[in-house]
Amino acid sequence: MKSFFIIKTQQGNHYFYSLSKKQLGIINPLLYDIIESCYNDTELPSHYEQNSIKKLKDKYSHAEIDYYYEKYKFLKENNYFDDITSNSRYKFIEEQLIHIKKNNSITFEITEKCNLSCKYCTYGELYNHYKKRDFKDINFKIIKNTIDNYIDKDSKELSVSFYGGEPLLNFEQVTKTIDYINKKFKNNIKISYSITTNGILIHKYIDFLKENNFDILISLDGNIEDNYLRTFPNGENSFKSIYNNICYIKTKYPEYFESNITFNSVLHSKSNQSGIFNFFKREFNKIPLISEISSTGLVKEKQKDFKTIYKNLQQNNKKINSDNIELFKKKYCQFNYESIDQFIYGDNNEKIIPTGTCAPLSRGIFVTADGTILPCESIPHCYKLGDVDDKLFNLNYKSIAESFNKYLSDAIKTCNRCYYYLICGKCIFNMGIDSGKIKCDSFKNYQQFKNYIKESIEIAEVQAKEHSI
């Protein structure tokens, strides 16, 4: 792939970026013009009337052109223009997964039941890639067997999360699980608890959740208009109930609210990111997580309905923020080091995982109410890692490694043509791997990535100007 970019910003500055060298620098406008005009020439044309250099002589003297052409030659002779290939080549092996697994993180689907009927729910009528919901509660024997067999006894930390359905509909099982874990590990392991809830019942159990220092993620899409897809089974908007419960917690436990409560919002066709951010900042002084409606596993007959409510998160987020710029600097520029080893030895041997897929078990495991073990709650059931019941705990590390290697190898051809590969956040399980055709809406060709660099630089220029005032 072509590895160099010349960029002119709205501020009138000129830049040269070499992906092969991971170096970005501001350059003289004449050097910009020479690169643009003469890149395909092997040496400076001796006759200044030749097409590739003719337009420059009206703006610059021969001496200036000669001087900056020497700089251009230096860049070319030192491989700043060399083509690059993505080194997405990572392969998992069984021993790696056993090591990764030691993070000791488990999420339990406490129940399949829910007291809302959200239009975009991945277990709803739009989708068919999950097992049929029987509205069952998880058997405590599944929880106990998972804890006894999965948790590394030598680990110093343990993270346990509760998910649904709506987990607070089976609160008895939540308390039973915590009692068992606390008795088994309390003196040996640092334990943290978290729960994802729609907030309808949270006011009833907030005392217990605070007492056990739960991190709480509440699903709310914004104001009452933004929240119109999150309804009760009778079609009533759930906003007022959730909002009142949130205000109750904020008033009763202000410090706990500040430190332990976060929000997740789903972007849809009638909402926008700035409106969502403004609502949570104004009402709760919080910045929510924002996700888009899943496009994986759609029922063919429901695709038209899906399109009426879907909005692409990346396309909606036109403006690049400071986090994006820091990520660009970290991954696409030299001289940004995270450790002394990286400074001394560099990243030449770094293995890059194709796509933004998490390494298997790196986020722990998600155990469904029927005992299916998945990489996380967002993954369709057909990509299970294993099974657990009241007697058996089946998690085959070799089989998991082989499966992930197969999935990722299918994506490499696409990834190796993409300039976004170093900071890709796209999960392989949301790219149509089951259809045999990889579809990635995060893919960036040369021009798209050039636009991304340009936008990043322009934001940085504005920030630098504001700080200098």
Side-chain angles (χ1 to χ4, degrees):
M1 298 192 298
K2 186 177 178 180
S3 73
F4 74 92
F5 302 80
I6 50 173
I7 295 160
K8 183 178 180 180
T9 66
Q10 293 180 7
Q11 297 285 333
N13 296 316
H14 298 75
Y15 294 85
F16 175 79
Y17 175 68
S18 171
L19 183 55
S20 63
K21 295 286 189 178
K22 290 188 178 181
Q23 291 183 20
L24 172 71
I26 193 166
I27 59 174
N28 185 281
L30 174 51
L31 180 56
Y32 178 97
D33 289 341
I34 289 175
I35 295 172
E36 185 177 47
S37 301
C38 304
Y39 168 67
N40 291 321
D41 296 329
T42 57
E43 57 185 51
L44 182 66
S46 58
H47 195 281
Y48 281 84
E49 297 301 319
Q50 289 190 18
N51 288 334
S52 60
I53 205 75
K54 184 177 180 180
K55 66 178 183 179
L56 300 181
K57 73 183 184 66
D58 295 330
K59 295 170 61 178
Y60 309 103
S61 69
H62 288 186
E64 288 176 316
I65 295 174
D66 287 339
Y67 176 77
Y68 279 101
Y69 191 80
E70 289 301 313
K71 293 183 177 293
Y72 164 73
K73 283 172 59 179
F74 172 84
L75 294 175
K76 199 160 190 177
E77 290 168 359
N78 286 275
N79 312 117
Y80 279 81
F81 297 94
D82 285 2
D83 289 346
I84 54 116
T85 56
S86 165
N87 59 338
S88 299
R89 59 185 187 275
Y90 200 94
K91 285 192 175 183
F92 295 104
I93 58 175
E94 180 179 357
E95 289 75 15
Q96 285 175 304
L97 301 192
I98 294 173
H99 176 73
I100 291 173
K101 171 251 176 186
K102 290 184 178 181
N103 68 11
N104 278 352
S105 178
I106 306 173
T107 300
F108 291 110
E109 183 185 41
I110 288 295
T111 182
E112 295 179 347
K113 299 172 186 173
C114 189
N115 45 12
L116 292 185
S117 184
C118 302
K119 300 295 188 292
Y120 51 65
C121 178
T122 53
Y123 300 114
E125 62 179 15
L126 293 179
Y127 304 92
N128 60 8
H129 61 317
Y130 290 94
K131 290 182 179 179
K132 183 180 177 181
R133 309 293 276 179
D134 297 321
F135 306 104
K136 68 174 67 172
D137 294 333
I138 193 170
N139 188 318
F140 181 73
K141 292 181 179 179
I142 290 177
I143 295 175
K144 182 178 181 299
N145 198 15
T146 302
I147 293 169
D148 292 344
N149 286 279
Y150 184 73
I151 296 175
D152 191 316
K153 296 179 180 179
D154 295 328
S155 179
K156 296 180 181 179
E157 297 183 0
L158 168 61
S159 173
V160 179
S161 301
F162 300 93
Y163 198 81
E166 170 49 48
L168 293 179
L169 287 172
N170 190 16
F171 187 67
E172 180 181 352
Q173 204 71 287
V174 174
T175 59
K176 193 174 181 179
T177 302
I178 291 174
D179 287 342
Y180 181 74
I181 291 174
N182 286 346
K183 289 177 182 177
K184 187 178 180 71
F185 299 110
K186 190 85 172 185
N187 296 327
N188 304 315
I189 297 178
K190 179 182 177 182
I191 305 170
S192 60
Y193 297 113
S194 61
I195 191 167
T196 299
T197 174
N198 58 32
I200 298 297
L201 299 174
I202 194 168
H203 61 296
K204 294 184 177 182
Y205 305 112
I206 188 61
D207 294 340
F208 176 89
L209 298 175
K210 178 185 179 298
E211 181 183 344
N212 287 276
N213 199 36
F214 266 72
D215 287 321
I216 303 174
L217 178 63
I218 300 176
S219 299
L220 183 68
D221 289 349
N223 61 29
I224 190 167
E225 289 82 14
D226 292 338
N227 203 65
Y228 87 102
L229 294 173
R230 300 187 64 80
T231 65
F232 291 104
N234 64 3
E236 179 187 352
N237 193 321
S238 62
F239 175 82
K240 290 183 180 179
S241 296
I242 302 168
Y243 179 81
N244 289 338
N245 287 343
I246 295 170
C247 292
Y248 171 77
I249 298 170
K250 183 181 179 183
T251 301
K252 187 173 184 179
Y253 298 119
E255 293 182 1
Y256 177 73
F257 181 88
E258 178 67 26
S259 61
N260 291 64
I261 306 292
T262 55
F263 295 94
N264 180 71
S265 297
V266 176
L267 185 72
H268 54 76
S269 58
K270 294 186 179 181
S271 66
N272 60 77
Q273 285 175 278
S274 61
I276 295 171
F277 279 128
N278 290 338
F279 169 79
F280 282 99
K281 184 68 176 177
R282 180 182 68 252
E283 296 291 333
F284 308 118
N285 196 31
K286 297 279 188 177
I287 298 176
L289 304 170
I290 297 182
S291 57
E292 64 183 32
I293 300 173
S294 175
S295 59
T296 301
L298 287 170
V299 176
K300 188 175 182 180
E301 293 76 18
K302 295 291 183 178
Q303 291 188 1
K304 186 176 181 180
D305 294 337
F306 169 79
K307 290 178 180 179
T308 63
I309 62 172
Y310 175 77
K311 180 179 282 187
N312 183 282
L313 181 62
Q314 195 172 46
Q315 291 177 356
N316 183 247
N317 187 19
K318 299 283 186 184
K319 294 183 179 180
I320 294 178
N321 58 34
S322 298
D323 290 340
N324 297 120
I325 296 171
E326 289 303 315
L327 192 59
F328 173 77
K329 286 165 57 181
K330 177 180 176 182
K331 293 295 185 180
Y332 284 97
C333 296
Q334 275 191 339
F335 315 123
N336 284 273
Y337 304 105
E338 296 182 1
S339 66
I340 189 66
D341 287 342
Q342 187 184 19
F343 172 75
I344 295 172
Y345 301 111
D347 280 335
N348 292 332
N349 296 319
E350 179 185 9
K351 293 182 174 66
I352 299 170
I353 303 174
T355 75
T357 307
C358 302
L361 307 181
S362 63
R363 293 179 59 185
I365 56 174
F366 177 69
V367 181
T368 69
D370 67 359
T372 300
I373 302 175
L374 296 168
C376 76
E377 67 277 4
S378 303
I379 304 299
H381 286 65
C382 57
Y383 301 116
K384 70 176 185 179
L385 304 179
D387 301 278
V388 56
D389 57 24
D390 58 342
K391 296 179 181 178
L392 299 176
F393 182 84
N394 174 33
L395 199 64
N396 188 313
Y397 297 104
K398 182 179 180 181
S399 176
I400 294 170
E402 291 174 349
S403 296
F404 266 73
N405 289 338
K406 171 63 170 62
Y407 301 146
L408 295 175
S409 66
D410 291 341
I412 283 179
K413 288 183 179 179
T414 299
C415 296
N416 284 350
R417 294 185 291 108
C418 178
Y419 283 86
Y420 207 57
Y421 67 96
L422 287 179
I423 52 176
C424 175
K426 196 72 177 179
C427 177
I428 187 70
F429 300 106
N430 293 322
M431 293 171 62
I433 57 171
D434 50 343
S435 67
K437 295 182 180 179
I438 298 295
K439 299 176 183 178
C440 182
D441 54 18
S442 296
F443 181 89
K444 280 185 171 34
N445 59 26
Y446 178 84
Q447 186 58 49
Q448 291 167 332
F449 189 69
K450 181 177 179 179
N451 293 340
Y452 166 75
I453 299 173
K454 182 175 182 289
E455 291 173 16
S456 298
I457 295 172
E458 288 175 342
I459 293 296
E461 286 181 338
V462 171
Q463 292 175 343
K465 187 175 182 180
E466 290 174 348
H467 291 160
S468 65
I469 295 176

